[in-house]
Amino acid sequence: MQPELSKMVAATLSIAERQVARTLDLLEGGATIPFISRYRKEMTGGLDEVQIGEIKRVYDKLVETGKRKETILASIEAQDKLTDELKRRIEACWDATELEDIYLPYKPKRRTRAEIARQKGLEPLAVIIAMQREAHIREVAGRYVNGQVKDADEALAGVICLISSHNEIQAQGHPPTDSLRQRAAASVGKDKHDLLMRIAMSTNDIADWDATLNDAIDRCDTPAICQSRLNRIQCLFNFYSVDSAIIEAQESLPFILDAKQYSFYFSTYNTYISGLFKQRRFDEAREEATTMFETAQQVKQPVGMTMALQVQGSMYYKLGLYDQALTSLEKGIAICPTYENGENQVLYISAVLYEWLFMTALKVNDTERISRYADSYAALVKWRDEHGKVDPTGHYPVTSRSLQAFSFLKKGQIKEARRLLDEAARFIHPQIPANAYEHFYEARRELRKMTGDYQGAIKDMDILLTAHEGDLSFYMDDLLKKAELLAHSGDPRSCISLYHTYIQVKDSVNRLDIASRMDQLRTIYEVDRLNQERQYARNWMFAAFTGCLLLVLLLAGYIIYSQCLKAKNQVLYRRIQEQIRQENKAVETIKQIPENDLSRELRLFINLNELLEKEKLYTDPTLNRDDLAQRLGTNRTYLMEAVRTYSGNMTVREYIYDFRLKHAAELLSSPSALSIDQICYDSGFASRSVFYRLFRQSYGLSPNEYRKLAEKEKEN
């Protein structure tokens, strides 16, 4: 931890420096945010998850800015252009955008291989390949052979440089989109849409995916609409909010199915199920996977059936049900069309299936299956290479060699495994996230463990822990593996500490699962009670005494259940009221920060809140992000960033819905003759069903239940 940065974080967030310093010490010690908020309150002074998350975000941002400043200073000094004044200016600057503006006149220009390929006119070919719409890439590449490009191989080599350059720039967070935006503004039709797609793929900004969707809608291009909807949902899932991704998937699936765009439909369905599973809504996810399979059967789409079995198998794997996982995944392989037909979606899902099958075989220690599926994956990658299927993700050659290396390790063939891992390492791109190469780090960890290099194995384990932090199924498994390595390395103290962390994380997860199960049992109980009552009505003449006894038991059970439910709901109502008070208090606290100490994002967020509170714009059901941006005198990208940063990673639309829900809760709590439907529309909701769904999702109660509890509280 850097003390000077700790002071800056404390000043930025208006949190005591001592609290910030202790929190950062815990984070650097490997503690997770949920763990710190739950079990280290005495050290942090009672900071909650949101505050700890903000401390980490601001600190990490400052650290990255500090590293960037060092790079910039070294670059300018190497050019012999670094003056004392310029150095002071750079060292005093902590705004990333302003820093890049200072550096811009001194940034060296270099003619990269990607730039050479662009000058040869190969950029359109790179776009075609990145879109994965052509089955015979080599034939397409042949069209670009000219005086500057001697053959198809040279054309494809140039494309690889362009795609790699794109990935590197994307990973660095500085996408060259300005020129693309200018070209898109001057283009029409499909050319414009392809440019908008490239921009969105570079930025992963939801606003740019909105632009692709709006363009497709304006042109009434149904396939493009379906693809843009899918891309937008995946962007929400990966970078913004799983809740939003689930809601939008629910809304989009019927449209895409009606349009018979089956490849987009089943990919969207896959993301939807993954979202349910990530929220630990296991039963819903399993049922939806079954529905997805049945739908694919009805429309005669074997790829859709395969994808349903794949997502089902991956869920079984994460739940530790490895036999069921193998059954589903192997059934998927049996149904899947041969990838040798060149269809990109088949190639993709086949690779995913082999990968999951390999991982499952490892778990059950089935040496024959491990070897078979490692070889199958390698054969697929070889076929891709031979047929000019460019890999824009950059992970296929690494994964192929890593799986085979693991297979050799299982056979005790360490020398061959090391050779393959050395080969794999040459394909690793430093700018691509580590989770793309997780099999490499797993195989290398195993190799190092087998050869007694426990410190090296621990380093690989740390990389995997970082890569799997958002997925508890893998993260908890990684904790145990690291604890085992620490024990072997002669560090029992750290080993015990890590086991303690594992137990606490597991306990926390179990509590979440219990809460979820209780909600499910509540529904099951209601259904069972109704079924029992119907059965009693049919059989009362034949079993009068038994029926009476059953009625008494049901009545007693219902009374007990009602009392418990009432007590639970009262606690929930009070918790909701306290939550709303705390949120309002947080906003008021932020408003007390002096104007000069506010960042651009925070100032914009405060202005947004004041605008929504004073003018109650959220009661207008047509209110959108563009309207708010215009009223605030900013653009929608800045607005999105401000909301995401200071609202707990919400989108603008979610934040508007949050205001509407609070307003509805206030109306429901107040003595009023308004009906619930009137409250719904007065709060800005255009749909009754959306209002009911979001209210229960946010507060755990229906609007009617909430109103009754509010009335009861006032009586007490």
Side-chain angles (χ1 to χ4, degrees), residues 70 110 123 158 209 227 231 235 284 317 368 500 518 548 551 566 673:
E70 291 174 3
R110 59 190 182 98
E123 193 168 21
W209 284 119
Q227 183 177 14
N231 292 336
C235 180
E284 290 179 66
Y317 175 95
E368 189 275 328
H500 185 62
M518 288 298 292
C548 289
L551 181 61
K566 187 184 294 182

Side-chain angles (χ1 to χ4, degrees), residues 447-459:
L447 172 64
R448 286 173 166 176
K449 177 185 169 185
M450 290 175 67
T451 55
D453 180 12
Y454 294 112
Q455 293 304 318
I458 290 169
K459 289 179 181 177

Side-chain angles (χ1 to χ4, degrees), residues 493-555:
R493 188 183 295 264
S494 298
C495 174
I496 293 168
S497 174
L498 205 62
Y499 271 125
H500 185 62
T501 302
Y502 169 81
I503 291 166
Q504 289 171 333
V505 173
K506 187 175 181 180
D507 185 55
S508 175
V509 172
N510 286 340
R511 284 199 295 272
L512 290 173
D513 289 344
I514 289 168
S516 174
R517 289 288 179 182
M518 288 298 292
D519 289 337
Q520 294 172 20
L521 287 171
R522 174 179 173 179
T523 304
I524 292 168
Y525 174 81
E526 292 292 339
V527 172
D528 287 347
R529 184 175 62 82
L530 290 171
N531 289 336
Q532 288 171 341
E533 288 178 352
R534 293 191 188 103
Q535 186 68 32
Y536 168 74
R538 286 194 294 268
N539 299 333
W540 71 273
M541 292 181 62
F542 304 97
F545 178 76
T546 305
C548 289
L549 181 61
L550 179 61
L551 181 61
V552 171
L553 291 172
L554 282 171
L555 184 60

Side-chain angles (χ1 to χ4, degrees), residues 134-194:
E134 296 287 343
H136 305 291
I137 299 300
R138 189 169 289 278
E139 293 179 14
V140 178
R143 302 171 198 164
Y144 291 81
V145 175
N146 51 39
Q148 293 180 300
V149 182
K150 64 179 181 181
D151 54 30
D153 288 335
E154 185 177 329
L156 289 172
V159 166
I160 292 172
C161 292
L162 284 166
I163 293 174
S164 298
S165 174
H166 162 78
N167 289 338
E168 180 175 352
I169 293 168
Q170 180 179 340
Q172 291 174 341
H174 303 292
T177 58
D178 289 345
S179 62
L180 294 179
R181 294 185 194 280
Q182 292 173 2
R183 289 168 57 188
S187 302
V188 294
K190 188 176 177 301
D191 290 340
K192 180 181 180 179
H193 189 77
D194 288 346

Side-chain angles (χ1 to χ4, degrees), residues 325-509:
L326 279 173
T327 300
S328 294
L329 294 167
E330 288 182 335
K331 188 177 178 182
I333 282 290
I335 292 174
C336 188
T338 175
Y339 59 77
E340 293 178 354
N341 63 12
E343 188 180 337
N344 284 310
Q345 195 174 37
V346 176
L347 271 166
Y348 168 76
I349 194 61
S350 298
V352 172
L353 278 166
Y354 288 136
E355 193 174 347
W356 279 106
L357 280 163
F358 175 87
M359 291 161 60
T360 312
L362 273 180
K363 286 292 184 182
V364 298
N365 201 27
D366 188 330
T367 307
E368 189 275 328
R369 278 192 168 104
I370 292 170
S371 180
R372 187 203 315 165
Y373 294 124
D375 291 344
S376 297
Y377 192 99
L380 182 146
V381 173
K382 183 180 178 184
W383 189 93
R384 285 179 63 98
D385 293 341
E386 290 174 348
H387 290 79
K389 295 286 182 178
V390 176
D391 172 22
T393 65
H395 82 89
Y396 282 108
V398 178
T399 302
S400 170
R401 289 165 174 80
S402 301
L403 298 189
Q404 286 190 302
F406 230 132
S407 175
F408 281 118
L409 287 173
K410 283 293 179 180
K411 300 172 187 174
Q413 300 175 19
I414 293 176
K415 185 177 179 181
E416 189 64 22
R418 182 177 280 113
R419 180 187 65 79
L420 284 164
L421 289 174
D422 288 342
E423 284 184 14
R426 292 198 288 270
F427 289 93
I428 291 178
H429 197 290
Q431 299 299 334
I432 294 177
N435 57 3
Y437 305 127
E438 58 181 325
H439 296 299
F440 170 80
Y441 294 110
E442 287 171 346
R444 193 171 71 176
R445 179 211 65 220
E446 191 67 17
L447 172 64
R448 286 173 166 176
K449 177 185 169 185
M450 290 175 67
T451 55
D453 180 12
Y454 294 112
Q455 293 304 318
I458 290 169
K459 289 179 181 177
D460 286 329
M461 207 66 251
D462 286 336
I463 294 171
L464 289 167
L465 278 165
T466 303
H468 293 154
E469 196 169 9
D471 193 325
L472 283 173
S473 305
F474 291 111
Y475 185 75
M476 291 174 68
D477 194 33
D478 290 345
L479 285 174
L480 287 178
K481 288 176 180 175
K482 184 177 178 181
E484 182 188 351
L485 290 170
L486 287 167
H488 283 297
S489 69
D491 189 359
R493 188 183 295 264
S494 298
C495 174
I496 293 168
S497 174
L498 205 62
Y499 271 125
H500 185 62
T501 302
Y502 169 81
I503 291 166
Q504 289 171 333
V505 173
K506 187 175 181 180
D507 185 55
S508 175
V509 172

